[in-house]
Structures are given as structure tokens and as C-alpha cells.
Amino acid sequence: MTLRRWLQTSAMALLAATGLAAFGTPGTAQAADHTGGTLKLTSATATGTDDPGINYTVQFWQVLFVTNDGLLAFDHTSGAASNTIVPDLATAVPKPEDGGKTYVFQLRRGIKFSNGKEVTPDDVVATFQRLFKISSPNAASWYNVIVGSDACLKTPATCALAGGVVADDKAYTVTFHLAQPDAEFFDKLAVPFADILPADTPAKDLGTVPAPATGPYMITSYDPQKDMILKRNPDFKQWSAEAQPAGHVDEIDYSFGLTPEDEVSAVENGEQDFMFDNPPTDRLGQMSQRYAKLIHIEPLFAIFYAPMNVNMAPFNNKDARLAVNYAFNRRSAVNIYGGPRLAVPNCQVLPPGFPGYKAYCPYTKNPGTTWTAPDMAKAKALMAASGQAGQKVTVIASDRSSLSQLGTYLTSVLNGLGFQATLKVISGNIQFTYIQNTKNNVQISVTDWYQDYPAPSDFINVLLSCGSFHPGSDASINISGFCDKSIDAQIQKNLVTAVTDPAAANAEWAVLDHELTDQAPWVTMFTPKQLDFVSARLGNYVYSDQFHMIFSKVWVQ
């Protein structure tokens, strides 16, 4: 039995034993008979810009999964197959040339943007130039492997990726030249950052202005304080059911502003079909008794964590960071999230079951592979050694219920250690970008991270490499500001190893995971499970490891 299957089976059995049973595998019968209608989604807040090149949240990646396309895509299906790369705007997944440093993509002809313009090779070139011009969050850590990226990182405004991305309008091909082989290059082309946009798309954050779509749906309006409306793209014609299925519903309305408590009631009453946020803990019992068949529990490769700014007081002191890790009661955090049915304590960077994961927990009584309890004696000794007692600390949390509650708990932990800590709760629409920008002088915050694709580097390289730290930018995903040149060198070496020896690379990722955990740039709280609560009229629920419930797959009665 694979670990993924074990997670699913164990979650189902445990939830069934407590009455909170999952709906089971999605049914596809009669799905073709359920075309039309409006899918109604709800969330407490929006999550910032709708720009595919900038937004880095699972909430809006779910949306972009059905509105826009890259050269490649993750299969729009469920289970392990949802991690499979399939051709999207390209006609095929190309074979490597020049030892894995050159890839030639044949572009499909006749695909149009929702503005009526045909997708061309020049649009592909411009899209990747734009990633550097707008300082896309992972331009410096993912796409820096493209030839010409060094010049783009030095002077983004004039980025040309000379010799790196080459269009051939006559052959309708785009050739990528890499400085070195990259085992994850296809994964990086299959996420929304690499969605192809028209060449004349402004080289700035689009904000609330929708980008032209290539998928079955297009965003027609977006007000972060109210809603986002998606309607069918009149220029869409299905070219691949795996890469971009046509979709069943005619419209998707995503409303913002309800509390999670009210979201639950809205789904129960059929006023909404899906809630993005986790249900409040005190509603789970009632939901399990009355709506068990409408609950879906799925495994996640994700972590909830509290990044600490290693470049400013008091967390530029390693002993202070270690003290917080030893004092933090991960069981309390799990209970805030919904209890052991919905989360498991975690101490390290990688989530359980992920490639490269080797269980490790130094921040507990009797250190070893599993967190058991806080070690307050060690935490207080480290705090005394740090000399940081009495320092003022502000915790920045989102107004989403679980994150704000975790912020409240974290604040109490800090005060218990001798800090003078206060909590600042801000809108979830801006919190994620706010805590990234060094201009806001954030000392510590509460956030989460979900896999972009199944590779250890997606946590280690993306969240903790020097290339992911961009001072003064809203797109600085290395929130702690952690930068260790020797660890960076190991990361880069391992990315090369992964091209030819994935098993050896995973063993090295495990070493790096433990090394970074010991550096304590953040407090890993737990790894969550996904709980989707849907309406009685929603059918054909399909869950992707990459983007969770697939909006184009479900239908409504």
C-alpha cells in the first residue's frame, strides 16, 4: 500500500470512526447530462492579484487552472495521475536535446485568447520575458536556468532572454535553451506562472484586471472586496480533455466576505456549492452527523508555519528562534485547525510522505522522529541565552479563522517566553504579500505552503534559497529572508543530481531538510489534510493533488 493510499485510507477510517466520513470516490456517471448552471464558490477573502505571473496562492491557482494554459499542464484528473505532465498549448511533451539543455516545443495552431487573438510563438517568448520584468516570485529560483536570465535578473526592465527562448513563427515552434539540465523544468512550465499571455500584456502587476484567457472560462470581473465572476470563453474549443477539459457549468461565481461559520451555513442551505476555508471546529460534529456524504477528506503535501525574520531583531538571534520552536505546542496548533483528524504535527521543512522526506523532530521532549510535547526547560534556557527577553514582537496573521487563531496562540507562546508580543490581524487579501515585503518590517507571521509540484526543491529551494529573497518586493517568497551560501550551493548541486539520479537527490534533499530545520528560520506547526465541504447539488467531485477540486470537472444540478 503506497503512503498516499495509506493517508487516504487512514483518514477515511478515522473520520468514519468519529462520524466525520468522507464521500468517497467521485462518480462520473451522467456527468455529460449536467452541462450548464452556475457553480457558486465562497471564501472569507480574496487573495490579491489575479495576475498569473504573480499570484502565488492555492486559492487563485484553482481558478487559473481553468482559465489559462501553459505549454504543458498537469492532467486534470484525480489521484496519482494528477501529477502527470501532459501537453497543453504544445502538441507534445518534447524530448530533451543537447544533454537536457534544449527543448523544442511545437505550438498548437488555431488556439485563441479570449480577446480573439491567436496564440503565437512570440506570445510565449514575451511571457517568459515578462516574468523577469515583473519580478515574478520564482523568476530567480525557477526560471533562472534559462539562458539569458542572468542579464534579466540584473536589469529586469530590459529582459530579452537572448538566446534562451527563441520563436520560429514559420515553423510555429519555441525553443528553450537552458544553462544546465533541470529535472523539474516541465513542472515549472505546468504551473500558472508559465501560463502564456498575449505579448502586449503590460509588464506590471495586472491587479484586478483579468488577463486574457485560453481556457474554457475567463474572468469577466474581479472585486477583491466582493466577488470574482467567470464565464465561458467564447473562443475556447477543447483540444485536450487531459490538459484543459471544456467544463460542465456555464458560469462560476466566487463570492468573498462571509465568515467560515456563515460559509458552512450557506453550503448546507444550498446557497453556495463549495467553501474554500476550513469549517470552524465547533461545526464539525454537526456536519458529520447531517452532511457526511458532502464532506471530502484528501491528503495534502503542505505545511502551516510561522516564518521568523532572520535579518531583524529579535529573530536574527538563532537562540531566540530555537526557543520558539521548543516552546511551541504543535498539538495545540493541530487542535485549533480541527484536531488530529485534519492535521498531524510536523517539525521540519518537508511534509510527511513527500519525496525526500525522512522523519525528524529535534524540537520536542525526547527528540527523534516524532513530535510529542514542548520542551519548556530547553526553550527557557535558550531564551535566557539569547538575551531577547522583553523585546517587542508583532505577529502578523490573516483574518482567515484558523490563521488568526493560530496567530493568537503563537502570540501567547511568545509572551510565555518573555517577549512583549502583540497580534496584528490583517485582511487575507493582502496578508500573504504584506509579510513578504521587507519594507513592512514583519518580525514573525503565520502562513501556509502547499506544493506546486511533487519535488523537494519546491519547499527547500523555493522557500529558503537566496534566489527567492527579494528585499522590498511583494513577491519575496522566502519570507524569513534566510540565505546561506553554502546551503544554496548544496541546493544547486542537488538540482543537477536530480536530472540523472533522482534517488540520490532525494537522499540529499533529506539531509538538507534536516540541516535547514536545525537553522530554525521558521516554526513548522503541522501538515494539514484537505476538507472540502460541498453542496448536495454538486456532483462529479474530482480532486487533483496539484490544484484540489477541479472547477471544470464538477457539475451542478
Side-chain angles (χ1 to χ4, degrees), residues 57 105 209 270 366 375 389 430:
T57 67
F105 290 86
V209 178
N366 304 313
D375 189 336
I430 63 170

Side-chain angles (χ1 to χ4, degrees), residues 13 29 58 94 309 321 331 344 372 382 413 438 446 474 512 532:
V58 67
N309 190 331
R321 302 197 305 271
R331 184 175 296 110
V344 293
T372 57
L382 285 162
V413 172
T438 55
V446 178
D474 282 352
L512 279 169
D532 280 348

Side-chain angles (χ1 to χ4, degrees), residues 47-49 51-61 64 136-139 141-142 191-193 432-433 436 448-453 457-459 462-463 468 474-478:
T47 52
T49 178
D51 193 322
I54 296 177
N55 191 286
Y56 209 169
T57 67
V58 67
Q59 182 178 353
F60 277 6
W61 275 24
L64 295 170
S136 182
N138 288 354
S141 57
W142 280 7
V191 299
F193 288 147
F432 189 57
T433 52
Q436 294 180 58
D448 51 41
W449 183 256
Y450 295 75
Q451 70 153 2
D452 298 314
Y453 52 82
S457 68
D458 190 48
F459 285 77
V462 171
L463 299 180
S468 293
D474 282 352
S476 182
I477 199 63
N478 182 344

Side-chain angles (χ1 to χ4, degrees), residues 478-503:
N478 182 344
I479 299 170
S480 293
F482 179 85
C483 176
D484 185 305
K485 296 295 186 181
S486 64
I487 290 179
D488 246 38
Q490 294 177 63
I491 290 173
Q492 295 306 315
K493 180 181 178 182
N494 213 32
L495 288 170
V496 175
T497 300
V499 175
T500 56
D501 195 343

Side-chain angles (χ1 to χ4, degrees), residues 299-311:
L300 283 173
F301 291 129
I303 58 171
F304 275 59
Y305 69 110
M308 293 178 278
N309 190 331
V310 302
N311 297 310

